[in-house]
Amino acid sequence: MFTLRARTLVFDIDGTLCFDGRTIDDRILAAIGGCERVGHHVVFASARPVRDLLPVLDGAFPAATLIGGNGSLVSADGRVRARAAFDPAGLGALMETVGQYEATYLADGLWDYAYTGPADHPIRGRVDQGNLAKMVDIAELPEVVKFLVVGASDMAALADAGRRLGLTVNHHLDEAIVDFAPGSTTKWEALSSTGIGEYVAFGNDINDFDLLRNAERAVRVGSHPGLDDVAQVTVAADPEAVAAEISLLAEAARAVVRAV
């Protein structure tokens, strides 16, 4: 049995806890609940905006901190705040590039969103599942905190153009999407801003790299090669395997209590 100093557990959602885009398996929910009962604080850190985290959690873990938009949004005690947003000049430059590559996109504000992609794109089924927001024109969003390209004439060139603009870019080759965030916004940066330094992290994709790299215990779900250098533990992308790994954390905490 391992020992941990960290009392915070940070979980990515899609591909880590949620495998159908809509729900989290009861075994995983039970395992996280067990960790809460022995004193762990739970954080969910996702590429989804907070609006789209809520239906997946379905009321579970109301005391959890939520990090959305790959770090651009933070929700604590039920209050959502924007940590980072595109400045008008930066968004204008991005929109020029989007036009150059004939890109379609999902742009998220603090709560509402703009979408120009096809109705049958897989990402569309994950957006506003709880009917909590409005789809508007991007010009109607007071601020844009996340920008996801779902189609373009040249996705790789578009991703490179975004990097030249100084944006944080995650090119998800398996899903054929490119995720843009303002400046150096990451899940780890957002977590650090809340004062959390020691934690255990679970993630599955390249946007979890910094989160895993800085964790006391870093658990990769699945086999993304981009996480080879930072994952300390790898488990199958399967609810039973993930739940078992989470349950080990509760047992480790109980062992510390018994030893005191």
Side-chain angles (χ1 to χ4, degrees), residues 200-251:
V200 176
F202 285 65
N204 78 309
D205 208 342
I206 198 64
N207 60 352
D208 299 311
F209 183 90
D210 282 345
L211 197 63
L212 295 178
R213 180 169 60 88
N214 291 284
E216 181 182 351
R217 183 175 176 86
V219 181
R220 171 176 57 181
V221 178
S223 57
H224 196 298
L227 303 179
D228 284 348
D229 293 337
V230 294
Q232 300 166 13
V233 179
T234 296
V235 300
D238 170 79
E240 184 174 359
V242 173
E245 182 63 29
I246 296 170
S247 294
L248 291 178
L249 304 175
E251 181 56 35

Side-chain angles (χ1 to χ4, degrees), residues 22-104:
R22 306 187 74 82
T23 60
I24 299 174
D25 188 275
D26 286 344
R27 290 166 290 183
I28 294 176
L29 293 173
I32 297 174
C35 289
E36 270 199 333
R37 286 191 292 276
V38 296
H40 286 300
H41 174 59
V42 176
V43 178
F44 297 101
S46 176
R48 294 177 183 240
V50 170
R51 172 200 70 228
D52 293 342
L53 281 172
L54 298 177
V56 177
L57 294 173
D58 195 25
F61 316 111
T65 298
L66 306 181
I67 295 173
N70 281 330
S72 58
L73 297 166
V74 175
S75 177
D77 301 320
R79 295 189 298 272
V80 182
R81 63 182 177 89
R83 282 198 61 260
F86 290 92
D87 63 78
L91 182 60
L94 177 58
M95 292 303 292
E96 284 187 21
T97 306
V98 163
Q100 179 184 348
Y101 291 99
E102 301 175 332
T104 54

Side-chain angles (χ1 to χ4, degrees), residues 141-205:
L141 295 174
E143 54 189 354
V144 175
V145 299
K146 184 172 179 286
F147 196 98
L148 184 72
V149 169
V150 299
S153 59
D154 190 332
M155 295 287 260
L158 177 59
D160 287 341
R163 294 184 185 98
R164 290 194 296 273
L165 291 173
L167 305 176
T168 296
V169 180
N170 290 298
H171 189 179
H172 302 274
L173 296 172
D174 54 337
E175 296 184 89
I177 57 177
V178 182
D179 198 344
F180 296 98
S184 60
T185 307
T186 67
K187 295 178 182 180
W188 175 70
E189 181 192 47
L191 183 70
S192 299
S193 77
T194 68
I196 295 171
E198 292 185 334
Y199 61 92
V200 176
F202 285 65
N204 78 309
D205 208 342

Side-chain angles (χ1 to χ4, degrees), residues 76-134:
D77 301 320
R79 295 189 298 272
V80 182
R81 63 182 177 89
R83 282 198 61 260
F86 290 92
D87 63 78
L91 182 60
L94 177 58
M95 292 303 292
E96 284 187 21
T97 306
V98 163
Q100 179 184 348
Y101 291 99
E102 301 175 332
T104 54
Y105 59 82
L106 167 67
D108 280 302
L110 188 65
W111 200 253
D112 295 328
Y113 64 98
Y115 182 74
T116 65
D120 60 350
H121 192 283
I123 202 71
R124 189 67 183 89
R126 302 181 198 172
V127 176
D128 197 23
Q129 295 172 10
N131 294 316
L132 302 173
K134 293 184 296 182

